[in-house]
Amino acid sequence: SNRTLASALARKLEDVADHHDGLVPLHGRLFAQWMHFAYPHECPYPHLAGTTKISVEGSEEAGLKLSWSEAEMRSYVESSPDSAKATGCDMQDPEQDSCPLTTMWVHEEELVDAAGWSATLASRELVAKPASRRVSLGLRTCMLVAFFLSCAASLRSLVQSGLSSLGSSNGDKVGKPQTKAGVILV
């Protein structure tokens, strides 16, 4: 349904996001709990795992009914007190200690698919780091180019030194200009 949510309820959703570094896992218990408080008739309260027990065996023999007729359910709903009035909760301020949001909220997370959530967080970290990776890649490329240029300069110097020593050992005649011609590919 389309309606305006109480500010306390919006703050609870922000708390859930803060608990998960800015994200809200949709298949987590905290979000299901928030949904229950936002839409109590549509969404059941998500109890912590292992805290509730459904006992069907022996219920009929113990006098507990497993199903009620529509008239019995209507009678029960009409006879039960309004929870906000029964607790003294002023719904204008749902953060009062007597309000259901404050008294029933359990800030303990249980993820239905914890492995999937971990993968989501890992992919989020990969997406968050592309700028630093580009800088790192650029720096590595510059270092590699500098290394190759340094190697080329050293090789050129070595070849020039070798050629000049070869030229002076061939018994060049004094007074005759030396000419060195050649192409060195690096």
Side-chain angles (χ1 to χ4, degrees):
S1 70
N2 191 12
R3 65 173 208 224
T4 303
L5 298 173
S7 61
L9 199 53
R11 278 194 297 280
K12 285 294 183 186
L13 188 58
E14 290 171 4
D15 290 346
V16 173
D18 289 343
H19 182 79
H20 293 286
D21 299 323
L23 298 176
V24 178
L26 299 181
H27 298 289
R29 197 195 77 77
L30 287 176
F31 182 67
Q33 183 174 232
W34 183 85
M35 288 293 293
H36 167 74
F37 285 107
Y39 304 98
H41 299 289
E42 294 88 353
C43 304
Y45 183 80
H47 295 278
L48 288 167
T51 60
T52 60
K53 181 179 174 183
I54 297 175
S55 178
V56 178
E57 294 179 23
S59 297
E60 291 282 343
E61 294 86 27
L64 299 173
K65 293 179 80 173
L66 295 180
S67 63
W68 288 8
S69 69
E70 188 173 332
E72 289 172 317
M73 287 188 276
R74 212 169 282 219
S75 171
Y76 177 79
V77 170
E78 289 171 359
S79 69
S80 67
D82 184 21
S83 63
K85 290 178 185 172
T87 61
C89 175
D90 174 18
M91 287 311 284
Q92 300 303 319
D93 182 16
E95 287 196 33
Q96 291 179 12
D97 289 338
S98 61
C99 290
L101 179 60
T102 305
T103 58
M104 290 182 66
W105 188 270
V106 178
H107 198 78
E108 191 169 328
E109 182 66 288
E110 291 177 349
L111 297 174
V112 173
D113 183 15
W117 180 249
S118 297
T120 300
L121 291 179
S123 68
R124 181 178 178 215
E125 288 177 12
L126 290 176
V127 170
K129 295 182 181 179
S132 63
R133 287 188 178 202
R134 277 185 294 216
V135 169
S136 177
L137 182 61
L139 186 59
R140 286 183 198 169
T141 304
C142 288
M143 296 290 285
L144 189 62
V145 167
F147 173 74
F148 284 126
L149 287 176
S150 174
C151 288
S154 295
L155 186 60
R156 180 175 178 244
S157 175
L158 181 66
V159 169
Q160 280 181 344
S161 173
L163 286 177
S164 68
S165 67
L166 281 175
S168 62
S169 66
N170 285 340
D172 290 335
K173 296 186 179 175
V174 180
K176 190 171 187 180
Q178 290 184 343
T179 57
K180 295 180 185 176
V183 177
I184 299 174
L185 296 174
V186 182

